[in-house]
Amino acid sequence: MRVVLAPMEGVLDHLMRDLLTQVGGYDLCVTEFVRVVDQVISDKGFYRLCPELINAGVYGCTTKVGTPVRVQLLGQEPDYLAENAVKAIELGSQGIDLNFGCPAKTVNKSRGGAILLKDPENLYRIISAVKAAVPHDAIVSAKMRLGYEDKNLALENAQAVQSAGANELTIHARTKVEGYKPPAHWQWIAKIKEQVTIPIIANGEIWNLADAEQCRLVSNCTDIMVGRGALAVPNLAKIIKRENTKMPWQEVRLLLAKYTEYETSGAKNKYYPNRIKQWLKYLKLQYVEADELFSEIRTLKTAQAIQEKL
């Protein structure tokens, strides 16, 4: 079984990837999406969202503890996506992931993310172009939802992904319209798995060991991807692999302190108040203490004031 850390725009950045992979249990990380429009992104643009590329030539594109990192691209133009995929691989990315799942309105309005699930033929063109452009041994994966408004094209989209030559497919078991509302329809992943042969990674509504085991049973998948659950319980991957039990709050507090040190000493210092509050919103789903701490810092505006509370 592999446990993959999900790409979450504005949440699971390189600092959080570093922190959570240090806790352990993750076999792969996928970056926040790199938006591709009509040009090849500069080295600096790739380094901004995936700093792990900077020393990829020496250490490989990994987090500090050696967990592989794969760049995710989002766009709708096959040729530009292909050119940027080549660039990302040349910089050292451990494969390319293509985003067909982002539900954000601004992304969908500009023909990116989940809206592409309305057009299986375009999925095929995009993946075919990327696969043809990158080296033969480079992994090309895709992440999709079950559809946009409904699930009518779920099988056709998955078949298009496979026919185009993708090496693996992650399926978030909800439509764009369903967003993040429970339940996740893991049984649909099993239906898709009956029709395609490439490896499938199951994703959606995995918060604990019981969820992970039920997801694997219902979806008939070995590998799973976790996102929000990983933020709510930082050692979720190890729990899922039965290597550990839920991290006690005292250890979570140490992680919060470490994350604070990361955020306030780097270029993202000005975002720290929002970032720490955002993480606490997830943590309070599993820890009463996080709810109490969030209440104490909710109205604080500066990093210094929040640090003092912590």
Side-chain angles (χ1 to χ4, degrees):
M1 173 178 56
R2 289 185 301 162
V3 179
V4 182
L5 187 60
M8 290 179 67
E9 175 66 11
V11 182
L12 278 168
D13 62 1
H14 72 283
L15 299 176
M16 191 62 79
R17 289 195 294 271
D18 184 28
L19 202 67
L20 292 178
T21 56
Q22 283 186 53
V23 174
Y26 291 102
D27 300 286
L28 174 69
C29 299
V30 181
T31 70
E32 301 165 275
F33 64 74
V34 177
R35 185 72 168 102
V36 175
V37 183
D38 57 1
Q39 60 184 347
V40 177
I41 308 299
S42 67
D43 291 11
K44 186 177 179 181
F46 277 107
Y47 293 156
R48 182 174 62 84
L49 284 174
C50 186
E52 295 95 340
L53 288 170
I54 294 172
N55 294 312
V58 179
Y59 304 108
C61 186
T62 67
T63 63
K64 289 177 184 174
V65 295
T67 306
V69 178
R70 185 176 299 166
V71 169
Q72 185 183 77
L73 302 179
L74 180 147
Q76 73 275 17
E77 294 293 339
D79 291 342
Y80 287 118
L81 284 164
E83 290 176 19
N84 279 281
V86 170
K87 176 72 171 286
I89 293 292
E90 287 174 348
L91 290 174
S93 176
Q94 303 217 19
I96 296 294
D97 190 65
L98 296 166
N99 183 317
F100 304 121
C102 180
K105 289 181 181 179
T106 52
V107 169
N108 292 167
K109 277 183 180 178
S110 57
R111 297 289 302 164
I115 201 163
L116 292 167
L117 298 173
K118 291 184 173 186
D119 185 4
E121 183 60 33
N122 202 32
L123 261 64
Y124 177 85
R125 287 194 296 268
I126 288 170
I127 296 168
S128 294
V130 170
K131 190 66 181 173
V134 299
H136 178 72
D137 59 351
I139 298 292
V140 174
S141 58
K143 185 168 190 278
M144 61 173 257
R145 284 174 173 258
L146 294 175
Y148 195 79
E149 290 105 346
D150 54 50
K151 305 172 182 68
N152 292 340
L153 293 174
L155 293 176
E156 193 174 342
N157 280 319
Q159 288 167 341
V161 169
Q162 174 171 281
S163 298
N167 299 93
E168 60 186 20
L169 171 64
T170 298
I171 302 176
H172 182 140
R174 284 178 277 229
T175 64
K176 183 273 179 191
V177 171
E178 288 168 339
Y180 296 96
K181 296 174 184 175
H185 307 286
W186 299 323
Q187 70 276 14
W188 268 90
I189 300 179
K191 289 181 185 179
I192 293 169
K193 202 166 185 293
E194 290 175 357
Q195 303 297 319
V196 301
T197 57
I198 59 173
I200 291 180
I201 302 168
N203 173 232
E205 214 61 27
I206 300 170
W207 298 93
N208 51 48
L209 175 60
D211 290 340
E213 292 185 337
Q214 187 67 7
C215 174
R216 293 180 72 209
L217 178 67
V218 174
S219 69
N220 196 27
C221 288
T222 301
D223 300 335
I224 58 176
M225 175 181 280
V226 294
R228 294 176 300 154
L231 294 167
V233 182
N235 68 330
L236 181 59
K238 284 199 163 187
I239 294 171
I240 289 169
K241 291 182 174 180
R242 293 182 175 274
E243 295 175 3
N244 215 327
T245 55
K246 180 180 170 183
M247 178 181 283
W249 174 246
Q250 290 300 326
E251 290 183 26
V252 176
R253 280 185 62 194
L254 293 175
L255 283 181
L256 286 167
K258 195 168 190 177
Y259 183 68
T260 298
E261 184 181 331
Y262 280 3
E263 285 277 7
T264 55
S265 62
K268 294 188 174 185
N269 180 30
K270 63 180 179 180
Y271 303 116
Y272 169 74
N274 288 335
R275 289 295 183 108
I276 198 74
K277 290 173 190 176
Q278 184 180 49
W279 190 14
L280 283 168
K281 283 181 181 178
Y282 287 108
L283 287 169
K284 70 181 186 177
L285 298 174
Q286 296 287 339
Y287 295 93
V288 174
E289 300 92 338
D291 195 11
E292 295 168 354
L293 181 55
F294 179 78
S295 297
E296 290 182 26
I297 72 167
R298 184 173 55 85
T299 60
L300 301 180
K301 299 288 196 299
T302 68
Q304 183 178 350
I306 293 173
Q307 281 179 277
E308 289 171 1
K309 276 291 181 187
L310 288 175

